[in-house]
């Protein structure tokens, strides 16, 4: 398992590694959708910076796996199969869920993202059986907000109001409260 104590000692990953990983994930999603014909959840963590395998990322990931598992159990949905990967680009998981629809599954994942103490740091993306991503905008949900100032994430991304250290400090504080 590739987990390190903090961002200063964790190996850095770059844009190239990230892009290769995204391509691999998309192919894995398509393969799984063809094989299982059920809605799919891809779970990654939302951590800024080049270090993706820290003690904080491990905690966020474990909390997310637990929250997703409990959300499915509470609704009587079974997890058909799952794959958990600990990669240099960060931990990720893919779940095939025997849910009535991708839309209901997305609603449950949004509830985790908004209700869990660390939900803001979790990306729980849902693909329906036809491979279409079910988006937050379909639920008239606002875009994600900056951890530091609360402005829409797209605004933050464009203007970079806060440095990486501010974000990592905020994430560390969030994880310590769990």
């Amino acid at each position: 398992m590739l987990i390190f104590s903090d961002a200063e000692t964790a190996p850095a990953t770059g844009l190239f590694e990230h892009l290769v990983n995204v391509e691999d994930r998309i192919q894995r999603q398509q393969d799984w959708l063809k094989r299982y014909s059920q809605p799919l959840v891809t779970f990654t963590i939302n951590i800024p910076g080049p270090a993706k395998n820290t003690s904080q990322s491990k905690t966020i990931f474990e909390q997310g796996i637990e929250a997703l598992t409990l959300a499915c159990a509470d609704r009587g949905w079974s997890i058909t199969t799952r794959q958990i990967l600990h990669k240099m680009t960060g931990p990720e998981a893919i779940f095939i869920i025997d849910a009535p629809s991708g839309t209901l599954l997305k609603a449950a994942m949004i509830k985790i993202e908004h209700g869990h103490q660390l939900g803001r740091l979790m990306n729980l993306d849902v693909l329906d059986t036809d491979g279409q991503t079910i988006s937050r905008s379909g639920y008239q949900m606002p875009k994600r907000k900056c951890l530091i100032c609360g402005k829409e994430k797209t605004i933050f991304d464009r203007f970079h109001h806060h440095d990486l250290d501010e974000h990592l400090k905020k994430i560390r504080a969030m994880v310590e409260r769990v």
Side-chain angles (χ1 to χ4, degrees), residues 16-33:
F16 177 76
E17 291 90 356
H18 176 72
L19 293 174
V20 168
N21 188 56
V22 168
E23 285 183 22
D24 290 346
R25 184 182 314 130
I26 290 168
Q27 185 60 55
R28 202 167 38 254
Q29 289 169 334
Q30 296 307 312
D31 292 346
W32 279 44
L33 286 169

Side-chain angles (χ1 to χ4, degrees), residues 8 21-22 25-28 37 42-44 51 56 63 75-76 81 91 121 130-131 136 138 143 149-150 157 159 165:
E8 291 77 31
N21 188 56
V22 168
R25 184 182 314 130
I26 290 168
Q27 185 60 55
R28 202 167 38 254
S37 300
T42 301
F43 171 41
T44 57
Q56 289 85 24
Q63 290 281 316
R75 290 164 176 80
T81 192
L121 304 172
D130 62 0
R136 299 167 60 82
K143 294 180 180 178
C149 67
D157 288 343
F159 298 109
D165 288 339

Side-chain angles (χ1 to χ4, degrees), residues 43-48 60 63-64 109-124 136 142-154 156-157 162 167 170-171 174-175 177-178:
F43 171 41
T44 57
I45 57 171
N46 189 14
I47 301 288
I60 296 160
Q63 290 281 316
M109 298 303 102
I110 289 172
K111 189 172 182 180
I112 294 169
E113 289 177 342
H114 285 273
H116 191 282
Q117 287 177 306
L118 299 175
R120 172 59 183 82
L121 304 172
M122 300 173 189
N123 289 324
L124 295 159
R136 299 167 60 82
K143 294 180 180 178
R144 291 193 179 235
K145 301 200 182 293
C146 171
L147 283 175
I148 307 302
C149 67
K151 292 183 180 177
E152 276 194 6
K153 185 98 169 74
T154 53
F156 167 78
D157 288 343
H162 312 290
H167 277 92
K170 175 72 173 179
I171 290 166
M174 290 171 72
V175 170
R177 287 193 296 266
V178 173

Side-chain angles (χ1 to χ4, degrees), residues 21 38 41 64-65 70 117 125 133 137 139 150-151 155 177:
N21 188 56
Q38 293 176 315
V41 175
I65 297 289
L70 288 172
Q117 287 177 306
D125 299 326
T133 300
S137 63
Y139 287 88
K151 292 183 180 177
I155 294 169
R177 287 193 296 266

Side-chain angles (χ1 to χ4, degrees), residues 3-100:
I3 302 294
F4 298 87
S5 61
D6 57 34
E8 291 77 31
T9 58
T13 58
L15 181 60
F16 177 76
E17 291 90 356
H18 176 72
L19 293 174
V20 168
N21 188 56
V22 168
E23 285 183 22
D24 290 346
R25 184 182 314 130
I26 290 168
Q27 185 60 55
R28 202 167 38 254
Q29 289 169 334
Q30 296 307 312
D31 292 346
W32 279 44
L33 286 169
K34 286 178 192 169
R35 182 173 178 190
Y36 294 102
S37 300
Q38 293 176 315
L40 176 148
V41 175
T42 301
F43 171 41
T44 57
I45 57 171
N46 189 14
I47 301 288
K52 302 298 185 186
N53 290 293
T54 65
S55 57
Q56 289 85 24
S57 64
K58 179 182 180 199
T59 299
I60 296 160
F61 191 68
E62 289 171 350
Q63 290 281 316
I65 297 289
E66 182 179 332
L68 188 150
T69 303
L70 288 172
C72 290
D74 288 349
R75 290 164 176 80
W77 303 339
S78 61
I79 297 172
T80 303
T81 192
R82 72 179 192 174
Q83 180 181 49
I84 295 175
L85 302 167
H86 296 278
K87 303 175 93 175
M88 292 303 292
T89 51
E92 63 183 70
I94 294 182
F95 292 80
I96 295 291
I97 310 291
D98 189 11

